[in-house]
Amino acid sequence: MPSMPSPRVVTRFAPSPTGHLHIGGARTAVFCWLLARHYGGRFVLRIEDTDTERSRQEYTDSILASMSWLGLDADSAPVYQTRRFSLYDEYIERLLKSGDAYWCRCRPEEVEAMRDKARAAGEKPRYDGRCRALGLGPGPGHAVRLAVPPSGKIVFEDMVKGTVSFDVNELDDMVLRRADGAPTYNFAVVVDDVSMNISHVIRGDDHLNNTPRQILIYQAIGAALPVFGHVPMILGPDRQKLSKRHGAKAVIEYEKDGLLPEALVNYLVRLGWSHKDQEIFNREELIAHFNGASLNSAAASFDPEKLLWVNSQHLRALSSQEMLPRLLPFLRREGIPVDDTDHIMRCIPLYQPRVDTLAELAGQMRPLLLKAADIVHDPAASAKFLSAEGTAHVAALRERLGTLEDFHKEALRRCIHAYVEESGVKLKLIAPGLRVCLLGTGSGPDLADIMEVLGRRESVERLSRALSHAGALISLHRE
Ligand code: GLU
């Protein structure tokens, strides 16, 4: 492990706003955020928007919204690369003055021809450095290139990959500032990381090949290197590149599906990091344990089923009070009335152990929250469980329930069991019929629990309405 922490841990997440935040990027962001929080350091967000063709404001907005939903708060306002061109120019001036950079007038076609030639000779495609000794100044079509040392090795200790080494021979004099004045990606990243005092650069290992180039820029600037950590890509369950077909989605979609942000954070951290055998972590535990060690160098596979399981565990840990504000948007989206929040809170525990997402919770709670008149009885379940015999049992039970003094679940349970004993019918034969009457569907939570939260008046009304509905159907069939 490289020495850690450096005097002050400052991490950054540096997305390019060319798409929504996906789980790979989100995991990188979580790692960066956790490292900063663990060491009491700073976490900054940098929007790498220099590719003006592909960058879009809507993606910046969406990334910011996803970061905020995930609870990955930054310690300063987001930094936009497009607003820092004068800083990049200052660094260019310094490097030109020190002789570490030079003006190049080669046109892109010429450079391409050099590369083709090198390829044909079986060498690495590279710029041949022909403008280096010309002492050119600025001019139309002139770019600025880094004067890369002729040989040597670049070796660094990666937090994830261990010792990584590259041969300088493999690198050519890279462009730092394009002919149109824009900084190149590698140059802007280094200037930003240096000027923002970034101590730890954690990013996807698709950037590993950029790192030796960036290290050369650090050396030319005369800045100390940060600690690098290149995390492996997340793969699909088939070990192929992760994509939509594996069920991977953008973070905003998981929000719409009813995942809890703390569950997604928990799941993402575990895709590439471990702490003993623990699977479920709350935020405080993650901050306490995530010290940058135990990052896995093998690529992890995304498993949508496990994500749902992790979410279900976090859902179960919430009190009804905590669940309510998270659930309300999903109830509203289903068109379910939400004015009686006390009633909603009483209904939550009935379904909480039975669901994986908030969307599912809202959907399943729906019949409990609707008015009796708005319950839709599933015709197949009604036909199956509310035969003449089934309705007779429901009618008999309704009589008992209507006069039951104590309507708490224990008393309700006793009442139902007494009926079962006396009538000799099996509970499993009458329970689905009762549920159809109360909820519209044959399956659901415990009957006594359902009736307790509905209360006597509502329970009896639901039974009566369902009975007259079923009675009408039965006589229709008899005719
Ligand atoms: N903007 C780069 C990306 O979105 C990240 C660069 C970095 O972290 O150094 O892949």
Side-chain angles (χ1 to χ4, degrees):
M1 272 303 298
S3 59
M4 241 189 310
S6 57
R8 176 117 205 241
V9 171
V10 185
T11 61
R12 87 308 195 267
F13 177 54
S16 306
T18 52
H20 297 290
L21 183 63
H22 276 77
I23 56 172
R27 184 190 56 169
T28 303
V30 169
F31 283 169
C32 296
W33 183 86
L34 280 175
L35 194 73
R37 294 291 169 260
H38 176 83
Y39 288 110
R42 283 169 48 75
F43 171 68
V44 290
L45 183 64
R46 184 169 75 223
I47 303 294
E48 302 207 319
D49 54 353
T50 53
D51 180 349
T52 45
E53 298 256 299
R54 292 170 60 227
S55 298
R56 296 243 291 273
Q57 185 60 42
E58 74 174 275
Y59 292 133
T60 299
D61 295 343
S62 156
I63 292 168
L64 294 178
S66 294
M67 292 290 286
S68 133
W69 178 70
L70 288 169
L72 306 178
D73 55 319
D75 294 301
S76 51
V79 171
Y80 293 85
Q81 286 191 321
T82 44
R83 298 184 196 160
R84 292 162 70 85
F85 277 32
S86 59
L87 180 71
Y88 307 135
D89 285 344
E90 270 172 41
Y91 274 84
I92 287 288
E93 285 309 316
R94 270 173 55 183
L95 291 176
L96 285 167
K97 222 178 251 161
S98 64
D100 289 293
Y102 62 91
W103 288 101
C104 167
R105 67 180 173 197
C106 295
R107 291 189 312 275
E109 316 84 75
E110 287 174 80
V111 178
E112 212 27 68
M114 284 174 222
R115 297 212 163 111
D116 286 345
K117 204 168 136 205
R119 266 188 217 108
E123 291 162 13
K124 284 244 167 203
R126 60 207 319 264
Y127 171 69
D128 66 8
R130 67 178 61 167
C131 289
R132 200 198 262 226
L134 299 184
L136 297 170
H142 290 195
V144 174
R145 286 182 182 270
L146 185 72
V148 170
S151 61
K153 274 208 175 309
I154 295 166
V155 182
F156 62 94
E157 280 302 307
D158 190 273
M159 289 167 72
V160 185
K161 304 212 174 269
T163 308
V164 180
S165 113
F166 285 90
D167 219 314
V168 174
N169 268 331
E170 298 190 359
L171 309 171
D172 61 1
D173 286 355
M174 73 198 95
V175 172
L176 302 178
R177 182 186 195 268
R178 295 197 184 87
D180 64 4
T184 54
Y185 161 72
N186 281 317
F187 183 61
V189 164
V190 174
V191 170
D192 286 336
D193 286 341
V194 168
S195 61
M196 295 162 85
N197 297 314
I198 301 301
S199 65
H200 292 72
V201 169
I202 300 177
R203 58 186 167 205
D205 67 2
D206 49 335
H207 286 288
L208 189 60
N209 280 330
N210 287 321
T211 305
R213 295 172 209 282
Q214 294 183 8
I215 289 178
L216 290 172
I217 302 174
Y218 274 94
Q219 288 169 347
I221 289 174
L225 293 184
V227 177
F228 291 100
H230 290 90
V231 290
M233 300 283 95
I234 302 173
L235 302 176
D238 54 3
R239 307 296 290 168
Q240 301 296 310
K241 192 172 181 293
L242 186 61
S243 71
K244 273 194 186 144
R245 82 194 147 85
H246 297 116
K249 299 177 185 176
V251 169
I252 41 166
E253 293 182 68
Y254 288 117
E255 181 181 0
K256 286 191 201 126
D257 287 353
L259 257 65
L260 296 171
E262 60 269 40
L264 187 54
V265 166
N266 181 163
Y267 176 74
L268 290 176
V269 179
R270 284 285 295 106
L271 276 182
W273 173 83
S274 56
H275 175 70
K276 302 182 185 148
D277 289 338
Q278 193 169 339
E279 287 287 1
I280 302 301
F281 294 84
N282 64 32
R283 204 164 283 249
E284 290 67 38
E285 290 173 311
L286 287 176
I287 293 173
H289 300 310
F290 191 93
N291 60 6
S294 309
L295 284 166
N296 203 337
S297 59
S301 321
F302 174 71
D303 177 354
E305 291 295 317
K306 180 155 178 207
L307 172 57
L308 284 179
W309 176 77
V310 171
N311 199 55
S312 72
Q313 301 304 302
H314 281 268
L315 271 181
R316 290 181 190 27
L318 295 178
S319 67
S320 297
Q321 199 98 35
E322 290 165 328
M323 185 80 87
L324 183 71
R326 292 157 180 256
L327 180 63
L328 287 178
F330 289 87
L331 293 173
R332 288 200 188 97
R333 197 172 77 182
E334 292 260 329
I336 298 168
V338 295
D339 356 302
D340 189 352
T341 51
D342 287 341
H343 177 53
I344 297 173
M345 280 203 284
R346 278 194 299 274
C347 295
I348 286 173
L350 271 59
Y351 287 95
Q352 199 169 4
R354 308 171 62 92
V355 297
D356 292 334
T357 66
L358 289 167
E360 228 186 307
L361 181 59
Q364 294 211 13
M365 280 174 68
R366 181 188 180 85
L368 271 188
L369 303 179
L370 293 178
K371 300 253 171 309
D374 296 329
I375 303 288
V376 180
H377 297 99
D378 170 16
S382 301
K384 188 163 171 202
F385 303 118
L386 294 176
S387 58
E389 193 195 341
T391 47
H393 288 302
V394 173
L397 256 169
R398 179 191 53 179
E399 295 317 309
R400 296 189 178 201
L401 293 166
T403 55
L404 196 65
E405 289 218 340
D406 178 358
F407 217 73
H408 289 102
K409 57 181 169 223
E410 295 75 22
L412 285 162
R413 223 162 265 146
R414 278 196 300 275
C415 170
I416 296 169
H417 282 112
Y419 178 77
V420 166
E421 294 239 316
E422 289 162 33
S423 65
V425 66
K426 287 208 162 60
L427 178 62
K428 67 171 191 252
L429 290 181
I430 57 166
L434 276 166
R435 274 201 200 89
V436 173
C437 296
L438 292 165
L439 305 175
T441 59
S443 61
D446 179 78
L447 281 170
D449 287 346
I450 298 171
M451 289 194 280
E452 184 187 58
V453 296
L454 289 174
R456 186 197 340 269
R457 209 170 48 86
E458 179 72 17
S459 299
V460 171
E461 188 185 343
R462 286 184 182 215
L463 295 180
S464 302
R465 280 181 172 270
L467 283 174
S468 54
H469 183 68
L473 282 181
I474 289 167
S475 48
L476 201 74
H477 287 166
R478 281 202 187 116
E479 271 166 22

